[in-house]
Amino acid sequence: MSWRAPGRVNIIGEHIDYLGGTVLPFACGLEIRCEVQPLPDEIILVSDAETDEVRLPLDVADVPRPEGWARHIWGVARALGDVHGVRGRVTSTIPPGAGLSSSTALEVVVALALTDGVPPAPEVLQRAEQDATGVPCGVMDQATLLRARAGHALLLDCATGESTDIPIAESIGFVVIDTGTRRELSDGRYAQRRAEVERGDLPRQRHAETEQGRVFDAVEALRDEDVARLGAILLASHASLRDDFDVSSPALDAAVDLAMVCGASGGRLVGAGFAGCVVAVVDAAQETEVVRAVRQRGLHAWAVHPVDAAGPVRD
Ligand code: GLA
């Protein structure tokens, strides 16, 4: 049996999920797959991207947190409690540490493999990620990967868990640009920003408040198929993440500038920040041209389209 979980591109609503804010992500075509056969009493996984094999008992309650990628599998088995044994292989097209939710995709796909496809509640996998990495993440990535629908963004209220599917018109395109820089969220900076905004630090709070307004503005711009307005909203989000929340980097700022030079309407760092990728909004008719122009200037870029949430591989 083979399972897949997509990556996540957040259109807007960054660093507000853990404050109970409303966010607007979608699931993108990059994905992690996990192909498994049943085993009676063990979890054995290998990955194309890792040298070490993961080997865990079904009950990990007394197993200390392992190092490396095994910690994600351990976190999932621990959070789920009741899992099947499997032997399997993991393959991925999601660059790790790049703001596209590769660790949550791994956790979601493994959760499906260990339960024969019973989707857990997003909060259960949020706990798995927090236990595995020590990063006090919100619930956006888990909810996106478990609920998103093709052709739609997920307007997710992180306070209530309620969500609405927002159609993304064919005229609106999204391009991800990879700076090639990488980060580990367990380095403490994510936790530090979260603590600062929760303590009431003024610039951090200003970001959270203005970002929330921009999410609802972006929903309107999507509804009106107004690429120029959506672009301006994304640029304002990037400025706020850079100046008020302090999670950008020179490489991310440069990639947003590059997106503009190459014909995007706007762009912003995507995910937690510090390194990784930016998402740019483009007129869909220009998508290929923008991707080509960015690549010509030396950065990797590709168009992303909203796909369905995690589930069985159907091809
Ligand atoms: C990471 C976390 C999310 C969210 C984003 C920033 O992806 O896992 O919960 O906080 O950063 O918006």
Side-chain angles (χ1 to χ4, degrees):
M1 186 75 202
S2 192
W3 304 93
R4 55 167 281 279
R8 179 271 295 126
V9 170
N10 189 16
I11 299 175
I12 196 155
E14 220 66 271
H15 284 282
I16 58 171
D17 63 340
Y18 49 74
L19 302 172
T22 297
V23 298
L24 190 64
F26 64 84
C28 72
L30 303 170
E31 63 181 18
I32 299 190
R33 288 186 176 198
C34 183
E35 190 175 352
V36 289
Q37 282 104 44
L39 269 194
D41 51 17
E42 240 185 324
I43 301 166
I44 303 176
L45 290 174
V46 295
S47 159
D48 282 6
E50 309 283 346
T51 47
D52 53 324
E53 175 186 272
V54 172
R55 207 173 250 270
L56 289 167
L58 295 190
D59 182 356
V60 294
D62 297 326
V63 178
R65 176 168 73 175
E67 296 291 317
W69 74 292
R71 64 193 174 146
H72 297 286
I73 319 304
W74 171 88
V76 171
R78 192 158 180 256
L80 291 176
D82 185 18
V83 297
H84 303 308
V86 294
R87 174 192 295 280
R89 169 175 294 276
V90 174
T91 53
S92 176
T93 59
I94 310 176
L100 302 174
S101 201
S102 63
S103 64
T104 299
L106 175 61
E107 288 153 7
V108 168
V109 84
V110 167
L112 294 177
L114 296 183
T115 58
D116 262 338
V118 180
E123 293 75 17
V124 171
L125 289 187
Q126 178 187 15
R127 195 166 63 241
E129 168 78 3
Q130 292 184 346
D131 288 351
T133 62
V135 176
C137 65
V139 77
M140 168 170 74
D141 302 345
Q142 294 78 7
T144 308
L145 272 48
L146 288 162
R147 286 201 206 152
R149 273 182 53 203
H152 295 74
L154 188 78
L155 184 66
L156 172 72
D157 179 336
C158 299
T160 63
E162 279 164 26
S163 57
T164 317
D165 294 321
I166 305 288
I168 299 183
E170 303 233 317
S171 61
I172 300 175
F174 292 96
V175 170
V176 166
I177 303 172
D178 189 352
T179 62
T181 58
R182 297 289 180 261
R183 48 52 178 176
E184 273 278 353
L185 289 186
S186 44
D187 67 7
R189 286 187 288 175
Y190 180 97
Q192 187 192 353
R193 294 301 182 285
R194 178 170 176 165
E196 286 164 355
V197 67
E198 286 176 342
R199 255 199 331 262
D201 176 274
L202 283 182
R204 307 286 189 255
Q205 280 204 335
R206 186 165 56 220
H207 164 73
E209 278 162 29
T210 57
E211 183 78 351
Q212 187 59 90
R214 285 185 290 269
V215 171
F216 296 115
D217 291 348
V219 172
E220 272 179 25
L222 274 181
R223 192 182 307 133
D224 297 345
E225 296 185 39
D226 189 339
V227 176
R229 177 155 180 240
L230 187 59
I233 296 167
L234 262 62
L235 285 175
S237 170
H238 185 77
S240 176
L241 287 159
R242 181 190 63 212
D243 302 334
D244 282 345
F245 218 71
D246 192 19
V247 289
S248 192
S249 72
L252 288 165
D253 296 344
V256 171
D257 292 345
L258 181 64
M260 299 308 288
V261 169
C262 294
S265 301
R268 52 180 287 281
L269 69 86
V270 63
F274 307 110
C277 295
V278 308
V279 58
V281 59
V282 302
D283 183 335
Q286 307 285 315
E287 202 173 83
T288 316
E289 181 51 32
V290 172
V291 166
R292 198 185 56 81
V294 172
R295 289 186 181 171
Q296 254 178 5
R297 289 169 176 81
L299 284 191
H300 191 41
W302 62 96
V304 283
H305 303 111
V307 303
D308 277 326
V313 172
R314 296 191 195 281
D315 57 33

